[in-house]
Amino acid sequence: KQEVTQIPAALSVPEGENLVLNCSFTDSAIYNLQWFRQDPGKGLTSLLLIQSSQREQTSGRLNASLDKSSGRSTLYIAASQPGDSATYLCAVPTQGGSEKLVFGKGTKLTVNP
Amino acid sequence: KAGVTQTPRYLIKTRGQQVTLSCSPISGHRSVSWYQQTPGQGLQFLFEYFSETQRNKGNFPGRFSGRQFSNSRSEMNVSTLELGDSALYLCASSFDRANEQFFGPGTRLTVL
C-alpha cells in the first residue's frame, strides 16, 4: 500500500530565503509524482509533474527532484516571497498509471515579510 | 483554456438529506476523479470516471456515488448525509492515465 509522508509539517521562513520541502513514498514503482499548492479553503494548484524517467523539473523559482530508488522527492523554492505562503502537497499514483492519487498531509509554509 | 469548474461552491444540508455536486473538466480531458478533504483525514480518493465508466473506486460507503456524462462532465451524489460528510469535495481532470491532474476550486459541504 502506497504511503506518502511530508516533512516538515510546517515551516516558517523570512522572505528571500531558499527552502526545501521533502516528500517520501513507500512504493517506488510510480509513473510520476506531482506537487501541488493549496491556499486556505481553495482547490489544489498543480505546480510540477515529474515523470518517473525524469530526475528534475523546473518552473520559475520552483525546482522538483525525484529519486525513485530511494522513494524521495524534494521541492526547492528559491528566493521565497510572502505570496508563496500556502500548503504544499505531493502526490503519487497508487499503482502503475492509475489516476488514483495518494497524497501526503502537506507542508504548511509561511513566508514572513 | 478554462480550468476545472465545480458547482455549487458552497452547500449547507441537514442530516439525512442527499446532495449532488457537479464537475466540468478541462475541455478535452476524459478522466474525472473526486476527492474528499477533511482536516483529520486529509485528501482521500472517492472515485474516477473515464468515458462514462467508473475506473477506480476508493473506500467509501455506497452512499457515495457518481456518474460521468458523454461530454465528460461528472456528478457525485451523497445520500443520507451524516455529520462526518462535512468536507471540501474536490474534482480533478486529466487527459488520461499518468497525465498531470488539474483540480477545481472545490465544493464546501456543511452538514448540520
Side-chain angles (χ1 to χ4, degrees):
Chain A
K1 179 188 168 188
Q2 180 72 271
E3 292 181 358
V4 178
T5 303
Q6 291 187 246
I7 294 173
L11 183 63
S12 181
V13 301
E15 182 177 1
E17 193 160 297
N18 301 326
L19 57 102
V20 174
L21 307 181
N22 297 292
C23 171
S24 61
F25 45 94
T26 53
D27 184 349
S28 61
I30 60 170
Y31 270 45
N32 58 47
L33 182 145
Q34 198 165 351
W35 281 94
F36 298 90
R37 76 171 270 169
Q38 185 175 32
D39 294 287
K42 308 288 187 183
L44 276 62
T45 299
S46 177
L47 296 173
L48 290 163
L49 172 76
I50 312 179
Q51 300 291 355
S52 60
S53 58
Q54 298 176 305
R55 292 191 67 84
E56 354 201 284
Q57 190 71 268
T58 298
S59 175
R61 294 183 294 108
L62 305 179
N63 176 278
S65 67
L66 174 63
D67 184 343
K68 275 184 59 177
S69 60
S70 66
R72 293 183 183 182
S73 176
T74 60
L75 179 67
Y76 174 83
I77 302 177
S80 58
Q81 302 170 358
D84 295 331
S85 298
T87 296
Y88 290 80
L89 298 140
C90 69
V92 294
T94 51
Q95 57 186 33
S98 169
E99 296 303 280
K100 180 178 177 179
L101 296 177
V102 176
F103 285 84
K105 297 289 189 187
T107 294
K108 184 175 181 180
L109 173 66
T110 303
V111 181
N112 301 299
Chain B
K1 201 178 210 182
V4 179
T5 58
Q6 292 186 246
T7 56
R9 294 293 312 280
Y10 302 92
L11 267 177
I12 299 176
K13 293 285 186 179
T14 56
R15 279 180 298 174
Q17 288 187 308
Q18 76 166 29
V19 66
T20 299
L21 312 182
S22 180
C23 171
S24 292
I26 291 172
S27 178
H29 284 189
R30 300 181 294 174
S31 170
V32 174
S33 301
W34 289 89
Y35 292 81
Q36 181 196 66
Q37 186 178 32
T38 59
Q41 299 297 319
L43 277 151
Q44 293 186 288
F45 175 82
L46 282 156
F47 27 66
E48 183 231 347
Y49 287 87
F50 183 86
S51 293
E52 302 178 66
T53 300
Q54 187 180 84
R55 198 158 63 172
N56 275 299
K57 189 176 190 307
N59 296 323
F60 279 81
R63 300 186 296 107
F64 292 81
S65 63
R67 59 178 176 169
Q68 186 180 34
F69 302 95
S70 58
N71 61 358
S72 292
R73 190 177 70 85
S74 177
E75 288 181 348
M76 68 164 279
N77 184 77
V78 187
S79 61
T80 320
L81 285 165
E82 300 177 358
L83 295 179
D85 297 333
S86 294
L88 181 65
Y89 289 88
L90 294 163
C91 162
S93 79
S94 65
F95 181 72
D96 199 351
R97 290 184 187 276
N99 282 263
E100 189 171 5
Q101 293 200 37
F102 296 89
F103 281 74
T107 294
R108 170 72 64 184
L109 172 65
T110 302
V111 182
L112 302 176

